Amino acid sequence: MSPKTLYDKIWDAHVAHEADDGTCLLYIDRHLVHEVTSPQAFEGLRMTGRTVRAPDKTIAVPDHNVPTTLDRANAATMTEDSRIQVEALDKNAKDFGIHYYPVSDVRQGIVHIVGPEQGWTLPGMTVVCGDSHTATHGAFGALAHGIGTSEVEHVLATQTLIQKKSKNMKVEITGKLRPGVTAKDITLSVIGVTGTAGGTGYVIEYCGEAIRDLSMEGRMTVCNMAIEGGARAGLIAPDEKTYEYCMGRPHAPKGAQWEAALQWWKTLYSDDDAHWDKVITLKGEDIAPVVTWGTSPEDVLPITAKVPAASDFEGGKVGAAQRSLDYMGLTAGTPLTDVEIDTVFIGSCTNGRIEDLRAAAEVLKGKKKKDGIRAMVVPGSGLVRAQAEQEGLAQIFLDAGFEWRLAGCSMCLAMNPDQLAPGERCAATSNRNFEGRQGRGGRTHLMSPAMAAAAAITGKLTDVRELM
Amino acid sequence: MNKFETLTGIAAPMPLINIDTDMIIPKQFLKTIKRSGLGVNLFDEMRYDDDRNEIPDFVLNKPQYREAQILVAGDNFGCGSSREHAPWAIADFGITCVIAPSYADIFYNNCFKNGILPIALPQEQVDVLMKDAEKGANARMIIDLDAQTVTSSDGEVFTFDVDPFKKHCLMNGLDDIGLTMEKATSIDSFETQAAQSRPWV
């Protein structure tokens, strides 16, 4: 048998039909659904008299629109259009009989945090969702990617997707990370190298000692941003950490089925002599704590660097960099650590898990945010929130002057009331620094939870290593 | 879905790289439960000021491009969020063809589901077409999907690649779901076999 990558193996196990031209019907094991990209798909089913083919493999949770303030049970906290979307999901979940975690359920949260937490996401699965950050689930060695609403409808109706196979890219992070360097710094640094289109047409497998050393939470952070590098999906081969994370979760297999699953999961790795279409290697020790300075996730620099000039770039990037500098209100040559911020946002599907909150709390413990800084922590799920309260993290955030919110996507995409004002500058643990992403005219600097916590204390972009 | 065969129309130039789907349709317009009506908000934050007045410098606000049916843009068009609201907004505005050196994967696929043809051409050729688009309303390009060609207003012809299956669906306005349902037996047998080999799924 010819050697295969992990992607090849998962792909081969899910081809339900292959046409002569290589177009495949890929069977989907888990379909995650949220309120923003699904209403038109369910409407499409109703209009054509179709049903959901596999409701037991379809899981819905509202996350993008929901307020994260403590009074959200009061319907008045939502705008009418947001409420209509959430109510549409309530109704669609009920009408079509799919698994559902409503806003009132403690298990509600960001769909990419809820899936793994509830054991829906397991190694070797195909997972899709009408959301680009579905790549997150690749941390389990699941082939997971975002789809559009027409494809959501297609999966609802047929439990398959029409796909052509992507190419294989290996991203290896060798050796150990230095203190203060996290999974977020890895994933941003990789995008800094590849650019936001470097992964287009590929599925990335992340490997190497620094990846193996990461917890499952860290691995999810890495895979989450595979899409920001343009890749269809990011993957990490499952190992003991993966099995340990999955074991005992509500929807993970039990008993003999667990043993059977484990036996298969242990075959899910790239063969030694598998073919890679592209290979990128970074040394773990070369990765520094990083921040973004511009309006593309590829605009990454070590925190010790200075704001670049447009003339430092080539081709179309010259104009793009100038536009970014203007939008961000930055002057070339300014040390990044001189950039003052207004707001700190800790949360999102990239960094809203328990380990992220622990890392931020570690920096904030016994300290206070700088006066005048708006700071909020938005846990990724109700269960993350409960655990953080149990571990005393919530109290650390409150003592430091942070708002302690309920779960949701919140200021990552600012579809709910959590938004930046024009010109407001934010240290954010989310995944996109696009123009207007966190609110019209808002300025976003992406970084790790520890770095965001450090910025809250000093009021500036800060090298967290100086506070350690 | 509308069929796409040939198109003769005005092309609007947007010489920017990494045009993301947040730019194409900002999140405040995702709170709809319909597919239609988003054209007025296409590129909303670049197109209108805080008081909702049109920004005259923005390409689609210029008189010569208000009826544009083609968009010529920079590398990595449609990156970021998977929101299909982006192609919905583009199509609702009246644009049914985009020409750029490259596209983000999800956006590219979403286009074909909505009667939009995304054409990828080498940078040098896009540069030529960008210059052509900058001539304004009198410079009409011709797109022929069957022949897989773009003809500039000067008569220069560029050929492009497109996946044959996607081309077939676009030319015939075919519904993917209907086509897949014809293969229901394959899906049934896959499910039966998977229930044996991976019963925990």
Side-chain angles (χ1 to χ4, degrees):
Chain A
M1 232 167 39
S2 61
K4 289 179 177 182
T5 64
L6 171 56
Y7 170 51
D8 298 336
K9 290 179 183 178
I10 303 173
W11 174 273
D12 290 350
H14 289 86
V15 175
H17 181 271
E18 182 165 0
D20 294 341
D21 70 347
T23 303
C24 292
L25 278 183
L26 199 68
Y27 192 82
I28 302 304
D29 293 327
R30 293 287 180 262
H31 186 189
L32 309 176
V33 174
H34 66 80
E35 79 277 22
V36 176
T37 58
S38 67
Q40 294 87 349
F42 285 110
E43 185 196 46
L45 292 186
R46 286 199 180 90
M47 281 165 55
T48 48
R50 290 168 177 151
T51 60
V52 176
R53 182 179 169 105
D56 55 323
K57 292 170 181 168
T58 311
I59 301 100
V61 58
D63 56 4
H64 281 57
N65 266 310
V66 297
T68 60
T69 44
L70 300 181
D71 59 352
R72 78 173 173 198
N74 175 1
T77 57
M78 283 177 103
T79 57
E80 192 187 353
D81 44 9
S82 290
R83 194 169 61 244
I84 288 171
Q85 268 192 341
V86 173
E87 284 170 2
L89 189 63
D90 290 343
K91 178 169 168 37
N92 288 329
K94 187 162 173 268
D95 287 358
F96 290 96
I98 63 184
H99 298 280
Y100 191 46
Y101 302 100
V103 178
S104 57
D105 193 310
V106 69
R107 297 166 296 178
Q108 178 272 344
I110 306 172
V111 64
H112 307 308
I113 293 189
V114 173
E117 206 168 63
Q118 294 300 318
W120 291 112
T121 307
L122 297 169
M125 281 184 165
T126 46
V127 181
V128 296
C129 175
D131 189 281
S132 57
H133 292 111
T134 310
T136 311
H137 308 265
F140 292 80
L143 178 59
H145 57 88
I147 54 178
T149 298
S150 296
E151 290 177 317
V152 169
E153 187 179 340
H154 192 280
V155 177
L156 288 171
T158 70
Q159 206 57 27
T160 64
L161 261 189
I162 301 171
Q163 292 276 288
K164 274 205 170 159
K165 204 170 167 203
S166 303
K167 291 180 282 187
N168 280 290
M169 185 193 305
K170 174 159 87 168
V171 173
E172 186 176 17
I173 316 292
T174 62
K176 301 275 182 200
L177 297 179
R178 294 186 185 276
V181 179
T182 68
K184 185 65 166 287
D185 300 298
I186 294 180
T187 201
L188 281 171
S189 297
V190 170
I191 298 162
V193 171
T194 61
T196 49
T200 305
Y202 294 93
V203 165
I204 296 176
E205 182 177 341
Y206 300 95
C207 61
E209 185 182 355
I211 298 291
R212 288 279 133 235
D213 284 351
L214 292 175
S215 64
M216 287 313 294
E217 284 85 353
R219 293 178 189 184
M220 283 189 255
T221 300
V222 170
C223 289
N224 173 276
M225 290 193 71
I227 182 67
E228 307 313 333
R232 166 154 298 211
L235 284 171
I236 295 173
D239 61 11
E240 292 300 328
K241 284 183 190 171
T242 322
Y243 315 143
E244 194 187 327
Y245 181 100
C246 295
M247 197 168 170
R249 303 249 163 207
H251 296 278
K254 316 267 182 308
Q257 288 213 351
W258 171 265
E259 293 306 323
L262 199 60
Q263 203 178 359
W264 187 55
W265 295 346
K266 287 183 173 175
T267 68
L268 297 175
Y269 54 83
S270 290
D271 296 329
D272 284 341
D273 38 2
H275 172 75
W276 300 97
D277 301 288
K278 191 168 175 179
V279 178
I280 286 174
T281 307
L282 266 66
K283 285 186 189 163
E285 71 236 38
D286 289 350
I287 299 174
V290 293
V291 295
T292 62
W293 57 268
T295 55
S296 166
E298 70 191 17
D299 299 337
V300 175
L301 281 172
I303 182 64
T304 49
K306 291 177 177 169
V307 174
S311 57
D312 296 345
F313 299 92
E314 290 176 354
K317 190 68 187 173
V318 177
Q322 189 56 57
R323 188 184 165 93
S324 291
L325 291 171
D326 294 344
Y327 180 86
M328 295 295 288
L330 294 174
T331 310
T334 310
L336 287 167
T337 48
D338 284 356
V339 176
E340 294 189 359
I341 53 131
D342 306 301
T343 303
V344 174
F345 167 62
I346 296 175
S348 85
C349 59
T350 315
N351 283 125
R353 284 169 284 270
I354 190 68
E355 184 183 273
D356 302 312
L357 304 195
R358 285 181 193 139
E362 176 76 24
V363 174
L364 289 167
K365 195 168 189 176
K367 299 198 174 75
K368 292 221 178 292
K369 73 172 173 71
K370 193 175 179 222
D371 279 347
I373 299 281
R374 167 158 82 128
M376 65 166 93
V377 181
V378 185
S381 72
L383 292 179
V384 169
R385 182 181 151 93
Q387 188 177 351
E389 287 178 344
Q390 207 171 28
E391 293 184 14
L393 308 180
Q395 199 55 50
I396 293 173
F397 292 124
L398 288 167
D399 291 346
F402 277 66
E403 293 178 60
W404 176 242
R405 295 294 192 89
L406 299 176
C409 299
S410 180
M411 203 188 264
C412 172
L413 87 167
M415 271 193 81
N416 75 349
D418 307 332
Q419 297 181 8
L420 295 182
E424 189 174 346
R425 191 180 296 280
C426 181
T429 66
S430 46
N431 40 59
R432 287 191 177 130
N433 51 355
F434 296 155
E435 287 179 23
R437 172 77 179 181
Q438 294 192 282
R440 185 174 180 139
R443 294 164 172 166
T444 305
H445 295 275
L446 303 176
M447 63 194 73
S448 73
M451 290 280 284
I457 295 167
T458 64
K460 295 189 290 188
L461 300 182
T462 297
D463 189 338
V464 66
R465 293 170 297 192
E466 290 174 7
L467 298 186
M468 285 163 66
Chain B
M1 193 175 76
N2 292 331
K3 292 180 185 181
F4 188 111
E5 289 163 332
T6 59
L7 169 67
T8 303
I10 300 162
M14 279 192 80
L16 265 182
I17 62 166
N18 295 334
I19 292 177
D20 58 70
T21 54
D22 275 80
M23 252 183 215
I24 297 171
I25 185 83
K27 70 251 171 197
Q28 59 269 35
F29 306 108
L30 309 189
K31 296 183 183 186
T32 172
I33 54 172
K34 298 185 299 184
R35 293 173 200 244
S36 57
L38 289 167
V40 67
N41 303 115
L42 174 67
F43 294 114
D44 196 85
E45 290 183 1
M46 302 164 92
R47 202 163 143 201
Y48 306 102
D49 65 18
D50 291 342
D51 300 320
R52 305 298 305 162
N53 298 311
E54 287 188 0
I55 298 169
D57 280 352
F58 181 67
V59 62
L60 298 180
N61 289 335
K62 294 180 182 172
Q64 63 270 38
Y65 296 115
R66 298 182 83 92
E67 305 294 320
Q69 291 173 282
I70 301 163
L71 194 65
V72 186
D75 216 2
N76 199 29
F77 188 89
C79 59
S81 160
S82 61
R83 59 189 68 167
E84 198 162 320
H85 308 68
W88 293 339
I90 290 172
D92 195 56
F93 180 89
I95 292 171
T96 52
C97 175
V98 184
I99 300 172
S102 70
Y103 298 86
D105 190 40
I106 301 174
F107 175 83
Y108 186 79
N109 283 323
N110 282 343
C111 281
F112 287 96
K113 319 282 183 197
N114 293 283
I116 300 171
L117 172 63
I119 297 176
L121 288 173
Q123 184 71 53
E124 323 72 87
Q125 298 183 8
V126 173
D127 291 345
V128 172
L129 292 169
M130 188 71 76
K131 283 216 162 53
D132 196 41
E134 283 164 359
K135 291 177 188 165
N138 293 324
R140 287 168 186 258
M141 292 182 193
I142 303 165
I143 315 292
D144 185 334
L145 177 53
D146 191 30
Q148 296 179 210
T149 57
V150 180
T151 307
S152 76
S153 65
D154 298 330
E156 202 172 347
V157 180
F158 302 99
T159 55
F160 60 87
D161 285 333
V162 58
D163 176 80
F165 177 71
K166 288 191 166 83
K167 175 179 173 178
H168 174 72
C169 291
L170 201 52
M171 288 196 68
N172 296 289
L174 295 179
D175 164 23
D176 278 351
I177 299 177
L179 289 177
T180 297
M181 284 185 147
E182 290 171 10
K183 305 192 181 86
T185 13
S186 298
I187 304 173
D188 290 342
S189 57
F190 180 90
E191 263 180 352
T192 311
Q193 169 253 315
Q196 298 288 321
S197 59
R198 297 184 296 127
W200 61 87
V201 171

